[in-house]
């Protein structure tokens, strides 16, 4: 397999991806694809330069509209890497990019949330709060300065992702298939964990037999924890394979199911 | 004392910018509840009271955050409304805080609604791809912010023009069948995104690893990073094996590719 080695993007194109992502990473955040549309927004102008064939470009855009969710700062690393892989199109590029994005989003979110959110929000929040209670706005100012200083770090992170991604495709292009498979494994393991951690579905149904009240949920839990979220993803996956099924139809079905399920006290 | 038009407009502009920054630019997020109190206090002429209310509410947030798209009580909005009401009524911080709490709860309901409505904007944007209209696609994605922008404006306008009691009344009126149902839907909708992604990935060949990931979280409560390490280990083993096979069957062309399932 041969990947073309000529970079087609100028420094300006690459920077533009960073600034679009950096300023609008969750502009169309939604329950279905979360940050998916923001990755499209950020990557589209650069992808247009890479994919001159109209049909190819459309296919690539569709692939980036898919579910994506991570800590926005860390997302820069992932988008940088994905952009670099895109820049050297080969037969396995689509699979490689999906695998890189899916494999990295979970762990990056975990790391990013603790080092950029939980910890600094607690530290700066506490400083700002205690100084504020003393009537001083200095704590707020410190937090703002920290936020501004981090822009530089966010840019560095994006550039690092781009550089590493480029190294990945140019020096390891012969092994791209096996690396993609490895990333696919990582990605699916992350999705396996995302199902119980992000899909929230429990039952509030109870059965009364004589004096004994049985909760359906505890029965389900004794079979398997997170049985319902697991089954539900399976159901949606199966529905998606049906002819004439679109994601819009699925969403409407899910909304109706949720309202119905809640009101007949099946779901809580 | 009533809020004048200029104050309402200024506050609306501030909450839209603040909400945008919280989700997107993420520059003013460090100490965000205190700064929300401070800015509101500046608009209404009592920054000191704003700092105090913001500080009190900020301390409540420590350790509680919105990660991975979870909806939590909106303390920022609580600080904004709390400060505005406390200054306007002259009843001080305690009264401001009692108003702030129902506002935080209302915001949580609105948050679920907004995160659902923006699905529609994402779909509109993706449709433009097939039409080949890319500027329109970008526009629809950016329009996805409209419900997000309206979210904080609604309670600000309601409270400052009609009155603080209204928020509690709105919360009472909202039918449980709809709000409870939407709450359930919020938990279910990520399943759609995940299932589409699974259709997109090489799931059939590697489903075993998905099961492992599920088990690690569901049964063993392994944190995400630990699960990723498992994934990296499994990936490395697979990679090494593939390398060995490549040496054995030297010259064999690699085949395969993404499964193009129709969505």
């Amino acid at each position: 397999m041969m990947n073309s080695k000529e970079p087609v993007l100028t420094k300006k194109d690459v920077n533009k991806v960073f600034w679009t992502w950096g300023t609008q990473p969750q502009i169309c955040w939604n329950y279905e694809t979360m940050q998916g549309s923001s990755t499209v927004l950020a990557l589209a102008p650069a992808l247009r330069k890479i994919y001159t064939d109209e049909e190819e470009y459309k296919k690539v855009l569709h692939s980036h509209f898919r579910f994506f969710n991570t800590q926005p700062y860390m997302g820069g690393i992932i988008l940088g890497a994905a952009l670099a892989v895109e820049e050297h199109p080969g037969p396995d590029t689509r699979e490689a990019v999906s695998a890189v994005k899916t494999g990295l989003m979970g762990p990056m979110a975990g790391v990013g949330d603790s080092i950029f959110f939980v910890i600094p929000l607690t530290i700066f929040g506490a400083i700002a709060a205690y100084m504020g209670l003393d009537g001083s706005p200095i704590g707020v100012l410190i937090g703002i300065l920290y936020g501004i200083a981090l822009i530089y770090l966010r840019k560095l992170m994006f550039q690092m992702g781009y550089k590493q991604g480029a190294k990945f495709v140019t020096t390891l292009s012969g092994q791209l298939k096996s690396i993609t498979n490895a990333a696919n494994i990582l990605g699916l393991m992350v999705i396996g964990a995302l199902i119980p951690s992000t899909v929230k579905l429990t039952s509030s149904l109870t059965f009364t037999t004589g004096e004994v009240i049985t909760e359906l949920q505890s029965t389900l839990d004794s079979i398997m924890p997170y049985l319902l979220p697991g089954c539900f993803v399976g159901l949606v996956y199966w529905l998606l394979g049906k002819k004439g099924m679109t994601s819009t139809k699925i969403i409407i079905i899910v909304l109706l199911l949720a309202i119905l399920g809640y009101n007949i006290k099946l779901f809580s | 004392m009533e809020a004048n038009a200029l104050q309402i407009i200024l506050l609306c502009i501030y909450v839209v910018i603040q909400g945008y920054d919280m989700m997107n630019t993420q520059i003013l997020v460090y100490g965000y509840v205190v700064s929300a109190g401070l800015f509101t206090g500046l608009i209404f002429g009592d920054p000191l009271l704003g700092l105090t209310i913001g500080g009190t509410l900020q301390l409540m947030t420590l350790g509680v955050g919105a990660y991975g798209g979870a909806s939590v009580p909106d303390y920022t909005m609580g600080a904004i409304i709390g400060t505005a009401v406390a200054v306007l009524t002259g009843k001080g911080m305690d009264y401001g805080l009692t108003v702030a709490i129902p506002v935080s709860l209302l915001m949580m309901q609105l948050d679920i609604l907004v995160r659902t409505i923006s699905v529609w904007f994402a779909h509109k944007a993706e449709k433009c791809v097939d039409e080949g209209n890319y500027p329109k696609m970008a526009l629809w994605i950016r329009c996805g912010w409209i419900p997000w922008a309206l979210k904080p404006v609604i309670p600000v306008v309601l409270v400052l023009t009609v009155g603080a009691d209204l928020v509690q009344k709105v919360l009472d009126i909202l039918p449980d069948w709809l709000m409870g149902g939407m709450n359930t839907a919020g938990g279910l909708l990520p399943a759609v995104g995940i299932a589409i992604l699974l259709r997109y990935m090489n799931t059939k060949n590697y489903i075993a690893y998905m099961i492992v990931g599920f088990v690690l979280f569901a049964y063993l409560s392994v944190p995400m990073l630990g699960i990723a390490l498992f994934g990296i280990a499994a990936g490395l083993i697979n990679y090494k094996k593939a390398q060995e096979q490549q040496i054995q069957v030297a010259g064999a062309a690699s085949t395969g590719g993404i499964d193009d399932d129709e969505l």
Side-chain angles (χ1 to χ4, degrees):
Chain A
M1 113 193 46
M2 285 300 292
N3 291 328
S4 65
K5 296 218 161 61
E6 283 302 306
V8 289
L9 299 177
T10 62
K11 208 172 169 207
K12 212 177 135 199
D13 297 327
V14 177
N15 279 339
K16 199 178 164 196
V17 174
F18 166 75
W19 285 110
T20 312
W21 173 258
T23 53
Q24 306 161 68
Q26 317 206 65
I27 195 147
C28 190
W29 200 102
N30 62 81
Y31 275 132
E32 187 199 352
T33 54
M34 303 196 174
Q35 298 163 349
S37 10
S38 273
T39 61
V40 175
L41 194 64
L43 292 172
L47 292 172
R48 178 81 273 195
K49 280 196 139 179
I50 300 166
Y51 297 97
T52 42
D53 179 72
E54 191 71 13
E55 286 314 305
E56 187 73 18
Y57 179 58
K58 285 181 181 173
K59 207 179 131 196
V60 174
L61 286 184
H62 277 301
S63 79
H64 283 291
F65 263 108
R66 302 284 72 85
F67 183 95
F68 183 74
N69 200 38
T70 192
Q71 198 273 327
Y73 296 4
M74 302 296 271
I77 300 182
I78 305 176
L79 250 67
L83 181 66
V85 179
E86 293 280 14
E87 202 177 354
H88 307 274
D92 296 323
T93 304
R94 290 273 48 77
E95 205 186 338
V97 171
S98 288
V100 164
K101 281 170 69 189
T102 317
L104 293 179
M105 66 181 182
M108 290 280 186
V111 174
D113 273 346
S114 41
I115 60 173
F116 292 117
F117 253 73
V118 183
I119 298 167
L121 280 191
T122 310
I123 297 170
F124 288 100
I127 295 172
Y130 286 117
M131 292 186 94
L133 289 175
D134 285 342
S136 160
I138 303 288
V140 173
L141 211 65
I142 294 173
I144 293 173
L145 288 176
Y146 179 72
I148 293 170
L150 271 188
I151 298 173
Y152 179 69
L153 181 73
R154 288 156 77 174
K155 184 130 193 255
L156 279 185
M157 282 160 61
F158 174 81
Q159 283 163 341
M160 187 187 85
Y162 181 67
K163 267 190 205 128
Q164 294 302 321
K167 216 186 267 170
F168 168 78
V169 277
T170 49
T171 61
L172 301 170
S173 70
Q175 302 158 23
L176 191 60
K177 182 75 193 168
S178 10
I179 294 173
T180 301
N181 285 342
N184 238 315
I185 289 172
L186 169 61
L188 280 168
M189 211 174 275
V190 169
I191 295 180
L194 274 180
I195 294 169
S197 60
T198 41
V199 180
K200 307 238 174 320
L201 180 60
T202 50
S203 179
S204 50
L205 205 64
T206 52
F207 299 102
T208 320
T209 31
E211 295 282 293
V212 189
I213 299 166
T214 323
E215 285 174 9
L216 179 64
Q217 187 58 43
S218 54
T219 315
L220 292 173
D221 284 339
S222 66
I223 301 170
M224 191 180 117
Y226 300 102
L227 180 65
L228 288 178
C231 289
F232 193 73
V233 172
L235 174 77
V236 177
Y237 182 84
W238 174 74
L239 277 175
L240 281 168
K242 293 263 146 205
K243 266 223 154 67
M245 190 50 80
T246 61
S247 58
T248 314
K249 280 185 199 162
I250 301 250
I251 291 205
I252 293 167
I253 294 172
V254 170
L255 280 176
L256 292 176
L257 216 69
I259 293 173
L260 183 76
Y262 175 78
N263 284 290
I264 59 170
K265 301 272 184 285
L266 179 61
F267 304 150
S268 53
Chain B
M1 190 171 88
E2 287 218 346
N4 61 43
L6 180 70
Q7 285 172 326
I8 296 175
I9 293 166
L10 278 176
L11 194 60
C12 285
I13 295 171
Y14 172 71
V15 291
V16 170
I17 294 173
Q18 198 279 336
Y20 187 87
D21 182 71
M22 193 64 208
M23 282 292 279
N24 290 285
T25 37
Q26 302 197 328
I27 291 166
L28 309 171
V29 293
Y30 304 97
Y32 57 107
V33 186
V34 193
S35 65
L38 174 63
F39 281 112
T40 315
L42 282 173
I43 292 172
F44 290 93
D46 193 346
L48 216 59
L49 185 60
L51 274 174
T52 324
I53 292 179
T56 310
L57 284 165
Q58 177 85 58
L59 288 176
M60 289 186 197
T61 68
L62 300 182
V64 193
Y67 311 114
S71 292
V72 290
D74 190 334
Y75 293 105
T76 317
M77 205 56 202
I80 291 166
I81 296 290
T83 304
V85 169
V87 178
L88 288 172
T89 59
K91 290 184 189 168
M93 174 170 137
D94 289 332
Y95 181 70
L97 285 177
T98 47
V99 176
I101 289 156
V103 172
S104 306
L105 292 174
L106 177 67
M107 287 302 284
M108 212 164 112
Q109 299 293 348
L110 283 177
D111 190 63
I112 295 170
L113 214 59
V114 163
R115 287 170 192 265
T116 311
I117 293 170
S118 40
V119 172
W120 182 76
F121 287 87
H123 280 222
K124 275 278 177 195
E126 196 172 353
K127 275 224 176 72
C128 297
V129 175
D130 298 318
E131 297 164 13
N133 195 341
Y134 309 114
K136 201 172 138 197
M137 175 196 79
L139 186 68
W140 271 114
I141 295 175
R142 293 200 167 101
C143 283
W145 191 255
I146 294 172
W148 284 95
L150 287 176
K151 184 177 80 166
V153 168
I154 293 168
V156 164
V157 172
L158 279 183
V159 170
L160 293 188
T161 56
V162 190
D165 305 341
L166 190 80
V167 177
Q168 192 56 50
K169 277 186 195 136
V170 168
L171 275 174
D172 292 341
I173 287 168
L174 287 176
D176 178 61
W177 67 265
L178 183 64
M179 291 326 290
M182 289 306 287
N183 208 344
T184 306
L188 285 182
L189 284 174
V192 180
I194 289 173
I196 295 174
L197 189 64
L198 283 173
R199 285 258 161 210
Y200 225 81
M201 301 209 21
N202 199 344
T203 308
K204 279 177 190 141
N205 288 332
Y206 297 108
I207 190 149
Y209 299 98
M210 194 183 88
I211 298 171
V212 174
F214 185 92
V215 169
L216 287 175
F217 184 91
Y219 285 88
L220 304 170
S221 315
V222 178
M224 193 55 90
L225 192 62
I227 292 166
L229 288 173
F230 264 102
I232 289 168
L236 277 176
I237 294 169
N238 189 281
Y239 175 73
K240 276 270 183 284
K241 262 203 179 139
Q243 293 303 96
E244 282 163 20
Q245 273 169 3
Q246 246 179 24
I247 295 162
Q248 280 168 9
V249 206
S254 59
T255 50
I258 192 157
D259 284 339
D260 256 333
D261 284 315
E262 278 289 319
L263 289 186

